[in-house]
Amino acid sequence: MRRLLRRLKAGLAPAPIATREALRTFVEERAAFIAQKCATDYCRGKTGLASYALFTEKPFLDAFDVCRWETFAAVLGDLLILTEGQLRPHVAPGQQPKLCAGLAALYGEILDALPAPAHRPQGWQDASEAFVPRLQRAMDANVRQAVEVAGYSAKRLFDTLPIHISMRELDEEVVYGAVRFRMVALSQEMHSRFLPAELARALAV
């Protein structure tokens, strides 16, 4: 009974995020969820009953994997940019380059730890390199809201969806809206679970 109560309590009040490892687990799991959920929901909604057959066809599944992987990498970057925005008030100006380096390193570590997808036999080096200046630009500007940051991963999702452009060109706002909705919800979860001062210290080392 005590074990059950502990599990119930953990579900109702998730553990705070104060360490680098806790942040890594959080952003990795949430990026995977958004990539999977948004891509699957759109494809099933767009194709209706035909989706059951479509999700058994190898060409479609191969293209769907490309979409999920590329969207995952984009969402992961967005979440780390949102993390920077929430931690910024708790970082001294002189520590900001260290925070940037810590977040960029975390992004690369997460991608490097994953198996190279079939469409990326060379791995994720180019994505890691491209994320650094993007993060730096975000840090040099005013903190952006989740709905704004989400535009990057929403575009990546839309561009890689395994549905022909002629069939999805009118659905851009639908796709963007789905990603933005989930990103706003995650931003709120970050706000409630992050211990920003402790997390900033853990990253800016």
Side-chain angles (χ1 to χ4, degrees), residues 3-56:
R3 186 183 303 114
L4 179 61
L5 290 173
R6 284 196 298 268
R7 289 173 59 187
L8 178 61
K9 182 179 179 180
L12 294 174
I17 298 172
T19 67
R20 191 176 187 274
E21 282 306 307
L23 176 64
R24 175 174 176 165
T25 298
F26 176 81
V27 296
E28 188 171 7
E29 290 178 349
R30 298 310 189 273
F33 173 76
I34 289 180
Q36 173 76 21
K37 181 69 173 172
C38 290
T40 301
D41 284 356
Y42 176 79
C43 290
R44 291 199 184 280
K46 188 67 176 178
T47 57
L49 293 176
S51 67
Y52 294 99
L54 193 62
F55 273 83
T56 66

Side-chain angles (χ1 to χ4, degrees), residues 20 96-106 135-136 139 203 205:
R20 191 176 187 274
Q96 288 179 347
K98 290 185 177 181
L99 177 62
C100 181
L103 290 169
L106 185 58
L135 175 61
Q136 187 61 64
M139 295 184 73
L203 290 165
V205 294

